[in-house]
Amino acid sequence: MAVSRTVRAPRRGTLAGRFAPVRLFIYCWAITMNSPSLPASEYDTVELRTGRLHKIRRSEARTLGEEDRMVPVVKCYCRSHDVLTAADAEQQRRPTFVFPIVFFANLVGLIGRELEGRIYSDSTRRRVMFYLDLKEHAGFQLEEGDRDLHSPWYDDSVLKE
């Protein structure tokens, strides 16, 4: 049996009504603080990536920055349980996230878990960078106590197989 409940906004004259804008501001501030801080001029597209991590593998990719070079990476493949088109199914055969190889052992522990992150891309220079939200995954420990994993900039061919 489903239970429904009507939620009303607090009236302006009440104490809760006076603090509603403050709560909204704090909520928006917390969202802003949890987002990765990248200058908007470094990318022109942001895409949400989600899914259950089902496979990781070692590979090599070209990193971009002060020094362009080939580096060992771990490619993460995620699957969605949503109804898929043929194009979406083909996309799931490609890597969802790519991170430096030093995180390989930690990413092994996340196989089978739902992941959420973003991919930042810069179409003019054809480069991509990955962000993974790790707040829900207590077993993944970073050195500084940070709960988010960021990648360096890679050549966008890193997303192709």
Side-chain angles (χ1 to χ4, degrees):
M1 180 170 116
V3 176
S4 65
R5 189 175 105 179
T6 304
V7 179
R8 294 183 187 160
R11 289 184 286 149
R12 280 288 235 192
T14 65
L15 186 60
R18 289 186 195 132
F19 286 107
V22 173
R23 273 193 245 129
L24 178 63
F25 171 76
I26 291 171
Y27 175 74
C28 293
W29 178 72
I31 290 172
T32 305
M33 293 303 291
N34 289 333
S35 299
S37 56
L38 291 172
S41 62
E42 292 200 13
Y43 58 90
D44 55 18
T45 306
V46 181
E47 178 185 339
L48 177 67
R49 293 280 176 105
T50 61
R52 184 176 302 272
L53 182 63
H54 74 95
K55 175 174 105 173
I56 62 174
R57 77 177 186 87
R58 295 173 191 247
S59 185
E60 278 200 343
R62 185 172 158 225
T63 185
L64 305 174
E66 294 176 13
E67 181 183 323
D68 293 357
R69 58 193 166 102
M70 296 300 286
V71 295
V73 295
V74 56
K75 292 185 175 185
C76 305
Y77 299 81
C78 294
R79 286 192 180 148
S80 170
H81 298 295
D82 298 335
V83 177
L84 299 175
T85 64
D88 291 338
E90 178 61 32
Q91 190 67 25
Q92 287 190 7
R93 292 190 185 105
R94 296 181 179 178
T96 308
F97 301 107
V98 178
F99 294 105
I101 197 73
V102 296
F103 299 111
F104 186 84
N106 290 2
L107 290 165
V108 167
L110 295 180
I111 291 180
R113 303 234 180 134
E114 289 288 331
L115 300 182
E116 182 175 307
R118 289 181 218 106
I119 176 171
Y120 297 85
S121 57
D122 176 10
S123 58
T124 57
R125 292 187 223 159
R126 302 182 58 90
R127 58 190 190 146
V128 293
M129 184 168 68
F130 301 90
Y131 162 78
L132 185 60
D133 181 357
L134 294 168
K135 290 171 188 62
E136 296 180 13
H137 306 291
F140 200 108
Q141 300 296 324
L142 297 173
E143 291 177 9
E144 301 107 26
D146 189 13
R147 303 304 302 163
D148 300 324
L149 184 59
H150 302 268
S151 79
W153 285 103
Y154 294 113
D155 182 81
D156 71 345
S157 64
V158 74
L159 292 171
K160 298 177 181 133
E161 284 300 302

